[in-house]
């Protein structure tokens, strides 16, 4: 049995262990289909450069273009993103967002593009992101949104493996307040269970949370609002890619951005492998008679040859004539690149980009367009849809953190409003520079701002240059317009 097959079986064993345990411990069953789990595994393998079609014995490698697509999508999604807050809780939410969310957001969006879905889960102090292999959905509401979920977290200490399973769900309860009447109250419950094992492939036995690094957690916590109407959402945010799920239409999970382009990604890897192989082996060959390269001072029948460069290949000549022939190996670069660009066009379109956004140049290698033209509506729509999904996710995350702030007195009680500002993906620096130069010449835009923003001077340097220009102009009798 090969190592890859062994690792695959081990991974499946862990997943089955996860599913089996949540049924035994919590009495629930995961609703994610096997087909969906297999698809997510395939997507992540391709993203990480472990695609099934990679075969070094046949010269087929991967250029990990799936990762390039995810990285470019995350870059455009987060381009010039700014998040501000209003309300009495403004300062607390701003500080938490800048510390826990913003430094990680582009990376998290990239992982979301690759796996189709990620969860951002506040932990009170910061935030964790969770990929689909570390959570199991066990319930959904009438809108198809997650209503029950179990997270798994693991760590190793010495020769022991510790696992925590954290179950989130809503439930209704009848509460008696002493007046003889029962009132229906909606609770959000979190249950934590810990396990220890001496084997990484086994869950092991249940232990007290106090014996683990999760010793500050309670086994069961029930949360509701002061007016007892219940929370407005789950205590985490879900970033789901906007494309419809055609593998499991009932699943709350999303699709990888390149899920429809798996076959084209395979063809691209093969095409590029053949191209690079041809370039690598394209040196000219020189076939030369062994008699011409024999080490001097040896007998005729002794096969002792000179140490030759790689492009010389000794051959046995026939008859008395010594043999030499140069063999040229012309490259079919144009044909190869046309084939590669055809695959890139298919991939880009299936990922939601406009035709021609991704291209291969023989001098610079794989590149993306330097700018998205204003009429490139397909790319613009793709990024807008992902930005909308990200904003929904972050609204959920900020709500959950605000609930934590109330529960643990992390900030004074108050309200907040989150405001989002995304950068224009059609922005062109050089065009903007020329536009503002013309405004400055006309006295509409301050030269100091122009020097700082477009010429990259510090504000002190810009002021010094303006003062110098003012002095020189005055010395020449030229009036200086401070505007």
């Amino acid at each position: 049995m090969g190592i890859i097959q062994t690792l695959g079986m081990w991974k499946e064993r862990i997943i089955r262990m996860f599913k089996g345990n949540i049924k035994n411990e919590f009495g629930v069953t995961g609703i994610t289909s096997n087909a969906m789990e297999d698809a997510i595994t395939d997507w992540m393998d391709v993203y990480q450069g472990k695609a099934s079609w990679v075969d070094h014995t046949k010269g087929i490698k991967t250029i990990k273009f799936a990762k390039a697509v995810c990285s470019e999508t995350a870059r455009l999604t987060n381009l010039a993103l700014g998040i501000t807050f209003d309300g009495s809780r403004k300062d607390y939410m701003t500080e938490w967002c800048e510390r826990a969310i913003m430094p990680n957001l582009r990376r998290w969006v990239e992982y979301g593009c690759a796996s189709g879905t990620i969860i951002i889960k506040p932990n009170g102090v910061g935030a964790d992101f969770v990929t689909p292999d570390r959570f199991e959905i066990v319930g959904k509401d009438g809108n198809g949104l997650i209503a029950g979920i179990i997270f798994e977290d693991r760590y190793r200490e010495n020769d022991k493996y510790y696992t925590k399973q954290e179950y989130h769900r809503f439930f209704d309860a009848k509460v008696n307040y002493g007046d003889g009447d029962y009132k229906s109250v909606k609770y959000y419950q979190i249950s934590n269970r810990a396990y220890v094992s001496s084997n990484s492939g086994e869950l092991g036995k249940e232990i007290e949370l106090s014996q683990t690094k999760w010793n500050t957690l309670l086994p069961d916590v029930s949360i509701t609002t002061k007016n007892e109407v219940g929370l407005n959402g789950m205590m985490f945010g879900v970033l789901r890619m906007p494309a419809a799920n055609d593998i499991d239409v009932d699943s709350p999970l999303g699709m990888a951005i390149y899920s429809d382009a798996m076959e084209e990604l395979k063809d691209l890897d093969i095409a590029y492998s053949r191209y690079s192989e041809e370039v690598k082996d394209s040196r000219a060959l020189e076939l030369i008679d062994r008699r011409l390269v024999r080490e001097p001072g040896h007998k005729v029948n002794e096969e002792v040859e000179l140490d030759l460069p790689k492009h010389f290949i000794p051959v046995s000549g026939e008859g008395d004539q010594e043999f030499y022939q140069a063999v040229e190996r012309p490259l079919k670069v144009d044909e190869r690149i046309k084939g590669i660009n055809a695959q890139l066009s298919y991939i880009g379109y299936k990922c939601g980009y406009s035709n021609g956004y991704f291209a291969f140049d023989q001098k610079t290698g794989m590149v993306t367009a330097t700018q998205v033209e204003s009429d490139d509506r397909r790319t613009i729509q793709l990024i807008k849809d992902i930005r909308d999904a990200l904003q929904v996710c972050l609204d959920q995350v900020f709500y959950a953190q605000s609930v934590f702030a109330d529960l643990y007195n992390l900030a004074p009680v108050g309200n907040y409003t989150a405001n989002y500002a995304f950068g224009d993906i059609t922005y062109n620096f050089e065009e903007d520079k020329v536009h503002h130069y013309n405004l400055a010449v006309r006295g509409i835009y301050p030269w100091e701002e122009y020097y700082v923003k477009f010429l990259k001077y510090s504000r002190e340097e810009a002021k010094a240059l303006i003062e110098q220009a003012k002095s020189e102009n005055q010395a020449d009798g030229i009036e200086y317009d401070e505007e």
Side-chain angles (χ1 to χ4, degrees), residues 163-357:
T163 303
K164 174 174 70 74
Q165 294 186 346
E166 182 178 313
Y167 181 18
H168 291 233
R169 73 279 195 193
F170 285 103
F171 75 93
D172 294 320
K174 297 289 186 179
V175 179
N176 186 343
Y177 290 97
D179 55 2
D181 294 329
Y182 286 85
K183 183 178 181 181
S184 179
V185 179
K186 185 178 182 180
Y187 285 98
Y188 186 93
Q189 186 161 14
I190 303 175
S191 299
N192 295 291
R193 303 291 183 267
Y195 308 86
V196 63
S197 172
S198 58
N199 189 330
S200 62
E202 296 179 357
L203 188 65
K205 65 177 182 179
E206 185 173 352
I207 59 173
E208 297 293 329
L209 289 164
S210 60
Q211 298 177 252
T212 71
K213 73 174 185 178
W214 305 296
N215 52 27
T216 59
L217 301 177
L218 295 174
D220 294 283
V221 178
S222 298
I223 305 169
T224 192
T225 57
K226 290 184 177 180
N227 58 11
E228 298 168 342
V229 297
L231 302 186
N232 293 331
M234 306 291 282
M235 292 289 285
F236 50 82
V238 181
L239 175 57
R240 182 187 190 275
M241 290 298 105
N245 189 331
D246 62 349
I247 295 175
D248 185 349
V249 295
D250 294 324
S251 175
L253 297 174
M255 305 283 284
I257 191 172
Y258 50 83
S259 60
D260 286 342
M262 294 285 278
E263 192 66 27
E264 287 79 6
L265 287 167
K266 174 184 176 180
D267 293 342
L268 174 64
D269 278 342
I270 294 173
Y272 190 86
S273 296
R274 296 293 177 254
Y275 167 81
S276 61
E277 186 179 62
E278 184 176 344
V279 172
K280 181 180 177 181
D281 295 337
S282 62
R283 60 177 178 267
L285 301 178
E286 295 184 69
L287 307 180
I288 188 168
D289 197 314
R290 294 183 186 278
R291 291 171 291 184
L292 295 176
V293 294
R294 185 180 293 111
E295 193 66 71
H298 292 273
K299 296 179 180 179
V300 175
N301 59 354
E302 289 183 344
E303 297 294 332
V304 182
E305 297 174 353
L306 294 171
D307 186 13
L308 299 172
K310 291 183 178 180
H311 62 276
F312 277 96
I313 300 179
V315 297
S316 298
E318 296 182 358
D320 296 332
Q321 296 296 321
E322 294 171 341
F323 177 82
Y324 170 83
Q325 181 180 348
V327 180
E328 296 291 338
R329 303 182 66 189
L331 285 173
K332 298 180 180 179
V333 173
D334 292 339
E335 291 82 354
R336 295 286 190 189
I337 291 178
K338 286 180 182 178
I340 289 172
N341 280 331
Q343 294 301 325
L344 288 173
S345 181
Y346 298 148
I347 292 170
Y349 187 84
K350 283 196 168 185
C351 291
Y353 283 89
S354 302
N355 288 335
Y357 188 87

Side-chain angles (χ1 to χ4, degrees), residues 402-414:
S402 184
V403 172
F404 272 119
D406 290 337
L407 289 174
Y408 299 104
N409 297 316
L410 302 177
V413 175

Side-chain angles (χ1 to χ4, degrees), residues 347-386:
I347 292 170
Y349 187 84
K350 283 196 168 185
C351 291
Y353 283 89
S354 302
N355 288 335
Y357 188 87
F358 297 104
F360 176 79
D361 184 85
Q362 58 181 319
K363 294 182 179 179
T364 60
M366 208 66 68
V367 296
T368 59
T370 55
Q371 115 184 56
V372 181
E373 299 295 341
S374 59
D375 60 347
D376 203 342
R377 293 300 169 192
R378 186 175 174 83
T379 299
I380 293 172
Q381 187 62 53
L382 167 70
I383 301 305
K384 180 185 181 302
D385 289 344
I386 296 177

